[in-house]
Amino acid sequence: MIDLLTAPFVEFSFMRRALAGCVALSVGAAPVGVFLTLRRMSLMSEAMSHAILPGAAVGFLWAGLSLPAMTLGGLVAGLAVALLSGFVARSTVLREDASLAAFYLISLAAGVLLISARGSSIDLLHILFGTVLALDDDALVLLGGIATVTLVGLAVAYRPLVMECVDPLFLRSVGRASGPVHYGFLALVVLNLVGGFAALGTLLAVGLMLLPAITARFWALDLTGLMPAAVILALIASVAGLLVSYYASLPTGPAIVLAAGTLYLASMLLGPRGGLVWRLLPARHLEA
């Protein structure tokens, strides 16, 4: 049994690289996902993951499948969409989710058209779904750097981020930290989506960010438990997805996200913090 779990990573360097990349993604993206869910911004991250596509497409047109060019383009596009949607929400009658949805659809269509203009269907699939088994040294350095910046950023802004989750109006009333914290957090979201794009593609980049964070709600009640639980669940999903893809010859990115989805479904049923099975059990005396 142990050999089945360890043999792919011992024998093949590409599996070790994929595991290292997934570990970096799990450590950086899962805590960001926890704050997204607490702030009711889960669907916003899905829109942002597609917003980086036109920037990555421009990088592809400029330098082919070059990780630095596509990463820089995706980062610029993601930040631009985040800032533009916020500006439109503050300057017009539209709410931020509506303006973000509009920019997301425009970005997705523009990115697909740009890639199709020069690349093949294989290039398009590579960008949309990623190639986690083909991570090289540059990609691992990028993912490790993003995870480091994310953890440092969350540590520095931890208290105002928590305050904004609990009572954003109070944070605005006691100081000027609300704006910088909000946009700094959006920058961390975009940064992790760009890192996820390098491994899982634009369509699945948000998978390791949101699913473990959502699942963690069935195992912990507060941030001190939610963030470690989300990271652990993301790591389990990564290892399980890599092993399933290896032994069943399945696409790796979808296998990792489906593994995270399986953990969510199992936790929804069996999780000790509000799982369906626990809710069906008769409550103890004076606990109904």
Side-chain angles (χ1 to χ4, degrees), residues 194-256:
V194 169
F197 156 77
L200 301 175
T202 57
L203 293 185
L204 299 176
V206 74
L208 276 183
M209 180 181 291
L210 283 186
L211 280 172
I214 296 170
T215 306
R217 297 293 294 272
F218 293 106
W219 297 96
L221 290 177
D222 54 26
L223 274 172
T224 57
L226 284 171
M227 288 196 287
V231 171
I232 292 172
L233 289 164
L235 292 173
I236 294 173
S238 298
V239 174
L242 287 170
L243 290 173
V244 169
S245 70
Y246 174 80
Y247 286 112
S249 299
L250 296 175
T252 308
I256 292 173

Side-chain angles (χ1 to χ4, degrees), residues 160-282:
L161 278 174
V162 173
M163 193 178 298
E164 192 173 31
C165 292
V166 177
D167 193 348
L169 293 179
F170 175 75
L171 180 62
R172 294 174 188 173
S173 66
V174 298
R176 300 179 179 178
S178 177
V181 167
H182 178 72
Y183 286 110
F185 178 71
L186 287 182
L188 289 180
V189 173
V190 172
L191 200 60
N192 280 275
L193 289 174
V194 169
F197 156 77
L200 301 175
T202 57
L203 293 185
L204 299 176
V206 74
L208 276 183
M209 180 181 291
L210 283 186
L211 280 172
I214 296 170
T215 306
R217 297 293 294 272
F218 293 106
W219 297 96
L221 290 177
D222 54 26
L223 274 172
T224 57
L226 284 171
M227 288 196 287
V231 171
I232 292 172
L233 289 164
L235 292 173
I236 294 173
S238 298
V239 174
L242 287 170
L243 290 173
V244 169
S245 70
Y246 174 80
Y247 286 112
S249 299
L250 296 175
T252 308
I256 292 173
V257 176
L258 281 177
T262 301
L263 289 174
Y264 164 72
L265 295 175
S267 300
M268 183 176 62
L269 293 173
L270 304 174
R273 304 296 183 182
L276 293 177
V277 172
W278 293 96
R279 286 181 174 271
L280 293 176
L281 293 177

Side-chain angles (χ1 to χ4, degrees), residues 5-236:
L5 297 176
T6 60
F9 304 108
V10 172
E11 294 179 12
F12 300 104
S13 61
F14 69 87
M15 290 292 289
R16 294 193 294 272
R17 290 174 179 272
L19 179 61
C22 288
V23 168
L25 274 177
S26 301
V27 170
V32 172
V34 170
F35 281 104
L36 280 171
T37 57
L38 291 177
R39 297 173 71 177
R40 296 177 175 86
M41 296 170 64
S42 302
L43 292 179
M44 189 211 75
S45 63
E46 175 66 22
M48 291 300 300
S49 69
H50 300 311
I52 67 176
L53 184 57
V58 171
F60 170 76
L61 293 176
W62 182 265
L65 292 174
S66 167
L67 180 63
M70 294 173 65
T71 298
L72 180 61
L75 184 61
V76 171
L79 291 174
V81 168
L83 293 174
L84 282 173
S85 62
F87 173 77
V88 170
R90 286 165 174 77
S91 305
T92 69
V93 297
L94 286 180
R95 294 178 59 180
E96 190 169 14
D97 59 339
S99 61
L100 186 62
F103 282 115
Y104 139 64
L105 292 171
I106 295 170
S107 299
L108 181 61
V112 171
L113 284 177
L114 286 172
I115 297 169
S116 301
R118 174 177 168 180
S120 64
S121 59
I122 295 177
D123 295 325
L124 183 61
L125 289 175
H126 173 91
I127 293 172
L128 293 179
F129 296 103
T131 53
V132 68
L133 295 181
L135 295 177
D136 55 14
D137 291 341
D138 292 337
L140 292 180
V141 170
L142 172 68
L143 293 174
I146 288 174
T148 302
V149 171
T150 299
L151 293 178
V152 172
L154 291 179
V156 170
Y158 181 79
R159 292 186 66 182
L161 278 174
V162 173
M163 193 178 298
E164 192 173 31
C165 292
V166 177
D167 193 348
L169 293 179
F170 175 75
L171 180 62
R172 294 174 188 173
S173 66
V174 298
R176 300 179 179 178
S178 177
V181 167
H182 178 72
Y183 286 110
F185 178 71
L186 287 182
L188 289 180
V189 173
V190 172
L191 200 60
N192 280 275
L193 289 174
V194 169
F197 156 77
L200 301 175
T202 57
L203 293 185
L204 299 176
V206 74
L208 276 183
M209 180 181 291
L210 283 186
L211 280 172
I214 296 170
T215 306
R217 297 293 294 272
F218 293 106
W219 297 96
L221 290 177
D222 54 26
L223 274 172
T224 57
L226 284 171
M227 288 196 287
V231 171
I232 292 172
L233 289 164
L235 292 173
I236 294 173

